[in-house]
């Protein structure tokens, strides 16, 4: 099965808005991209359109939160994580306003639209803001479990989701979710692959290929980039021979960098990172781009074989 | 309460605070003082007993660098003990050079210009959604209106017909590098805000009665937000600081501070 995470998000917000009048969704002329057209119609009194103005989107959200509302600011991740980064820093995180920033069409979802529309730096930028948590959910089930936690807590967060339908990583009802703890998608002892967002599914497929070759691969779904599940990383560093990280993000300040920084200090181990390049990416659909940079199951398996 | 006398006392506290700490934005503090005094001592429903009152009026000092004026007022109103202000800008003090909501009475952090009006729009929208009677006040500088985000917020205020939102522009015609007209022209501020659909009231911004009347008028204006263009004098009340670009954040010497306080005392004596 597969499902677009934005659809899961929209259904979730619709359900929550019915139960809780404090839920407010804000869009920056992005309700269509966010799959929130129906929400906007059904909950017009819990929806705010700000037009193409991301700074205003985040500032208004902060004001709503300051007055006790639970705003979800939904805007393309490319703009949300850069254009309105200062509002996220000052009005949301620094002022302790409970805004959930939902970056839609994240990473290279907008493939051929080019670098303006890609968000390949958002772990680095948003993650550098003190007090702002960062989540990259992997599939429909993880997204729902994560959102159930986030809708109740009182702290701000940035959540990046992709545009396309993503294959299920988990079987329905089988996800063992604990907030801010990496999910062990597969256990294994030879090598650990740590992935986030859409890369988790590719990592799982890669591990299956390697298992067929007789290798034992651990796969961790690190949807919680900040706070990073340090315990799971260090456990992998102790118990397996190396760590391969996979992320739809630039080489700097992302998952690989964080894992390397942590293990270098506490348990040095071989860490290799698969990332997007430090450059505009090739033109193509997400799948083409992933393939080109070795971010698909074949590329991940190849990198893993080199480490083993 | 004699608001004019109060404004002079607050100005004295500002001069003392900045001279003692060796830092602060004295010019803008002195230009915005009368606006803050009218809001805090007359118009706004805010007190230290109402910190969590959902119906309290909301205040955002978007020109956050003029925090010394706000500190002097919050201390005087009892939001925190006045003697805590001796730590202003000192090592490990919570009283930093811009508003910080760790301090009782401050709603949101500011300091980077062009943020406050958007936040105020959010607060005003929340009041409408919750059917609460509170009003939201945002005070901006005129140099601050160089920021494009101010105008994003202005569009939203008009779009949502936020008549529970009142903004001030402290129109002292100076910013750090020179006059506003030299740096980035603002004239006519009135026409610009009117073109964005706001109810515009242009006043003599250091005239307490004019400020108070304008705030009353804003309260009675329905269907759109109000901006009060307060034509002020930067450094108001201390003749050698008034209207001098150099006094944006210059720190008075002990002798200058003494002279400033002497002049403020004289002004108070002839009220
Ligand atoms: Mg000015």
């Amino acid at each position: 099965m597969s499902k677009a995470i934005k659809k899961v998000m929209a259904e979730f917000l619709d359900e929550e808005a019915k139960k809780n009048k404090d839920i407010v969704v804000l869009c920056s002329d992005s309700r269509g991209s966010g799959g929130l057209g129906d929400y906007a119609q059904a909950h017009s009194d819990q929806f705010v359109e700000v037009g193409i103005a991301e700074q205003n989107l985040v500032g208004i959200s902060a004001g709503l939160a300051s007055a006790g509302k639970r705003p979800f600011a939904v805007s393309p991740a490319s703009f949300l994580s850069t254009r309105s980064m200062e509002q996220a820093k000052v009005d949301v995180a620094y002022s302790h306003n409970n805004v959930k920033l939902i970056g839609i069409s994240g990473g290279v979802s907008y493939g051929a639209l080019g670098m303006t529309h890609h968000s390949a730096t958002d772990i680095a930028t948003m993650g550098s803001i003190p007090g702002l948590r960062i989540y990259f959910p992997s599939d429909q089930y993880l997204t729902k479990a994560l959102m159930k936690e986030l809708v109740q807590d009182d702290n701000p967060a940035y959540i990046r989701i992709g545009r396309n339908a993503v294959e299920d990583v988990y079987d329905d009802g089988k996800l063992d979710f604990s907030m801010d703890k990496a999910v062990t998608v597969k256990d294994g002892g030879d090598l650990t692959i740590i992935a986030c967002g859409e890369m988790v599914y590719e990592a799982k497929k890669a591990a299956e290929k390697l298992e067929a070759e007789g290798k034992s691969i651990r796969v961790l779904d690190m949807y919680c980039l900040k706070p990073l599940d340090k315990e799971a990383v260090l456990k992998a560093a102790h118990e397996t021979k190396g760590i391969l990280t996979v992320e739809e993000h630039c080489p700097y300040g992302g998952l690989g960098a964080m894992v390397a920084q942590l293990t270098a200090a506490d348990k040095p181990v071989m860490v290799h990172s698969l990332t997007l390049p430090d450059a505009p990416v090739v033109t193509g659909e997400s799948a083409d781009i992933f393939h080109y940079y070795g971010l698909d199951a074949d590329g991940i398996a190849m990198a893993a074989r080199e480490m083993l | 309460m004699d608001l004019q006398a109060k404004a002079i006392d607050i100005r004295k506290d500002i001069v003392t605070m900045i001279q003692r700490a060796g830092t602060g934005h004295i010019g803008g503090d002195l230009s915005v003082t009368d606006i803050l005094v009218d809001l805090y001592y007359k118009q706004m429903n805010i007190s230290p007993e109402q910190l969590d009152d959902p119906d309290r009026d909301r205040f955002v000092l978007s020109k956050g660098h003029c925090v010394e004026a706000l500190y002097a007022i919050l201390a005087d109103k009892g939001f925190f003990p006045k003697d805590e202000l001796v730590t202003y800008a000192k090592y490990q003090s919570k009283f930093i050079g811009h508003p910080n909501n760790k301090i009782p009475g401050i709603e949101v952090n500011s300091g980077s210009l062009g943020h406050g009006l958007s936040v105020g729009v959010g607060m005003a929208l929340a009041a409408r959604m919750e059917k609460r009677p509170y009003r939201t006040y945002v005070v901006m500088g005129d140099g601050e209106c160089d920021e494009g985000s101010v105008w994003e917020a202005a569009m939203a205020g008009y779009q949502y017909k936020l008549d529970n939102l009142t903004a001030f522009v402290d129109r002292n015609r100076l910013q750090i590098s020179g006059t506003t007209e030299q740096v980035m022209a603002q004239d006519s501020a009135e026409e610009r805000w009117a073109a964005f659909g706001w109810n515009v009231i242009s006043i003599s911004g250091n005239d307490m009665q004019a400020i108070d009347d304008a705030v009353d008028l804003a309260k009675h204006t329905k269907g759109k937000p109000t901006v009060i263009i307060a034509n002020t004098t930067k450094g108001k009340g201390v003749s050698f600081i008034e209207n001098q670009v150099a006094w944006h954040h210059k720190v008075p010497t002990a002798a200058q501070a003494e002279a400033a306080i002497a002049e403020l005392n004289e002004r108070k004596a002839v009220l």
Side-chain angles (χ1 to χ4, degrees):
Chain A
M1 284 278 287
S2 72
K3 188 165 184 177
I5 291 179
K6 68 176 181 182
K7 227 172 168 177
V8 181
M9 189 77 76
E11 288 166 4
F12 178 81
L13 290 170
D14 175 62
E15 283 303 311
E16 290 298 317
K18 285 178 194 157
K19 290 185 281 185
N20 184 349
K21 69 175 177 52
D22 286 336
I23 303 287
V24 183
V25 172
L26 297 92
C27 284
S28 53
D29 203 14
S30 47
R31 74 181 78 177
S33 331
L36 288 159
D38 290 343
Y39 176 98
Q41 288 215 316
H43 306 283
S44 58
D45 51 347
Q46 288 170 263
F47 180 80
V48 179
E49 175 61 72
V50 306
I52 307 166
E54 294 78 15
Q55 298 179 74
N56 204 26
L57 173 85
V58 178
I60 292 175
S61 298
L64 285 163
S66 158
K69 292 294 184 182
R70 290 183 170 272
F72 289 76
V74 183
S75 182
S78 52
F79 314 131
L80 191 61
S81 65
T82 52
R83 187 68 158 264
S84 49
M85 186 187 171
E86 196 185 55
Q87 279 72 16
K89 169 191 164 193
V90 176
D91 306 330
V92 175
Y94 182 37
S95 290
H96 304 286
N97 283 317
N98 180 17
V99 178
K100 301 303 190 304
L101 301 162
I102 313 289
I104 55 173
S105 306
V108 295
S109 293
Y110 279 134
L113 293 187
M115 187 165 164
T116 56
H117 283 60
H118 296 161
S119 61
T121 60
D122 46 354
I123 304 175
T125 56
M126 301 302 259
S128 68
I129 296 172
L132 192 61
R133 298 172 297 162
I134 309 295
Y135 297 102
F136 278 33
S138 56
D139 82 346
Q140 58 169 319
Y141 302 110
L142 194 127
T143 302
K144 200 160 181 191
L146 173 66
M147 293 309 293
K148 274 184 184 164
E149 296 286 336
L150 290 176
V151 78
Q152 289 175 49
D153 74 33
D154 295 327
N155 298 309
Y158 171 77
I159 303 102
R160 186 234 268 188
I161 62 175
R163 182 168 184 244
N164 309 315
V166 288
E167 294 294 331
D168 293 345
V169 173
Y170 305 101
D171 293 330
D172 193 3
K174 294 283 169 58
L175 169 63
D176 184 15
F177 182 86
S178 178
M179 188 60 169
D180 293 332
K181 296 288 171 205
V183 182
T184 304
V185 178
K186 276 183 173 301
D187 208 355
D190 291 334
L191 185 79
T192 302
I193 305 176
I194 306 181
C196 58
E198 289 185 31
M199 295 296 103
V200 176
Y201 177 76
E202 299 299 327
K204 183 184 173 192
K205 298 308 276 183
E208 284 166 1
K209 287 175 191 284
L210 294 163
E211 274 170 3
E213 297 163 18
K215 306 294 181 195
S216 168
I217 308 294
R218 183 179 303 183
V219 177
L220 299 179
D221 180 347
M222 194 63 78
Y223 65 90
C224 47
L225 291 150
K226 186 183 172 189
L228 189 75
D229 183 354
K230 294 179 178 176
E231 205 184 321
V233 174
L234 291 175
K235 192 163 179 282
H238 279 280
E239 295 175 358
T240 67
K241 296 180 190 96
I243 297 174
L244 177 62
T245 65
V246 194
E247 62 198 298
E248 187 182 353
H249 190 268
C250 75
Y252 306 112
L255 174 64
M258 290 192 284
V259 167
Q261 184 179 27
L262 176 65
T263 54
D266 287 358
K267 170 62 184 165
V269 66
M270 180 170 42
V271 175
H272 183 70
S273 296
L274 294 176
T275 67
L276 291 168
D278 178 33
V281 302
V282 295
T283 303
E285 297 293 322
S286 290
D288 302 327
I289 297 170
F290 294 155
H291 177 71
Y292 186 89
Y293 296 107
L295 294 169
D296 58 359
D298 286 339
I300 296 167
M302 198 190 306
R305 279 186 208 106
E306 280 176 30
M307 291 179 75
L308 283 163
Chain B
M1 178 185 293
D2 182 344
L3 296 182
Q4 284 179 292
K6 179 58 75 180
I8 290 179
D9 288 340
I10 294 299
R11 286 187 163 92
K12 285 157 59 179
D13 289 345
I14 292 166
V15 170
T16 303
M17 202 185 314
I18 291 175
Q19 196 277 321
R20 185 172 53 209
T23 182
H25 288 82
I26 197 163
D29 285 338
L30 297 177
S31 80
V32 83
T33 299
D34 301 299
I35 295 167
L36 299 190
V37 165
D38 182 63
L39 289 176
Y40 273 91
Y41 293 89
K42 176 97 187 281
Q43 288 285 1
M44 291 197 298
N45 174 33
I46 294 181
S47 71
E49 293 73 40
Q50 293 172 272
L51 292 178
D52 297 317
D53 177 356
D55 289 336
R56 72 190 183 281
D57 285 337
R58 301 305 202 278
F59 178 78
V60 179
L61 185 63
S62 193
K63 49 175 291 184
H65 54 287
C66 294
V67 74
E68 298 86 12
L70 184 59
Y71 285 159
I73 288 170
L74 293 177
D76 184 59
K77 294 216 33 150
F79 283 86
F80 47 80
K82 197 169 180 177
D83 57 16
E84 285 189 12
L85 280 180
V86 301
T87 71
Y88 163 62
K90 297 281 188 269
Y91 180 54
Q92 293 196 338
S93 174
K94 66 181 170 182
F95 294 96
I96 58 176
H98 292 102
N100 186 312
N101 60 6
K102 287 199 178 103
I103 293 163
I106 294 180
E107 300 279 355
V108 291
N109 302 351
S110 57
S112 178
L113 297 170
H115 285 233
L117 193 57
S118 293
V119 175
V121 165
M123 291 168 164
L125 276 172
R128 173 176 299 166
M129 289 171 180
E130 304 248 288
K131 298 185 175 57
R132 294 198 178 277
Y134 71 79
R135 296 187 62 80
T136 299
Y137 296 89
V138 177
V139 173
M140 293 174 285
D142 51 1
E144 176 173 7
C145 294
D146 295 352
E147 291 281 4
S149 51
V150 168
W151 302 99
E152 291 186 5
M155 282 190 264
Y158 167 75
Q159 179 78 14
Y160 290 102
K161 301 181 171 58
L162 295 175
D163 51 20
N164 56 356
L165 173 65
T166 301
F168 279 88
V169 176
D170 181 7
R171 183 82 177 100
N172 57 33
R173 309 193 69 85
L174 296 180
Q175 57 192 102
I176 197 165
S177 304
T179 68
T180 55
E181 302 317 283
Q182 285 169 338
V183 176
M184 189 53 64
Q186 303 280 332
D187 283 334
S188 147
E190 287 82 356
E191 287 175 15
R192 289 171 192 228
W193 285 91
F196 276 75
W198 285 54
N199 176 44
V200 181
I201 307 174
S202 188
I203 59 165
S204 173
N206 295 117
D207 177 337
M208 197 65 77
Q209 191 60 52
I211 296 166
D212 198 55
D213 290 346
V215 174
D216 278 337
L217 196 55
K219 283 182 178 171
H220 293 105
T221 300
K222 298 297 168 202
K224 51 178 154 177
T226 291
V227 60
I228 299 170
I229 308 292
N231 295 284
T232 55
T233 300
K234 200 161 177 175
K236 179 72 182 178
V238 180
S239 48
F240 64 89
I241 299 177
E242 281 188 4
N243 217 13
Q244 299 295 314
V245 172
W247 278 97
H248 177 79
H249 60 353
K250 197 167 145 181
V251 176
T253 63
Q256 284 172 326
E258 206 175 303
I261 285 168
E263 181 178 342
L264 288 164
N265 281 331
E266 280 170 31
R267 288 178 189 266
K268 195 175 171 187
V270 297
L271 278 179

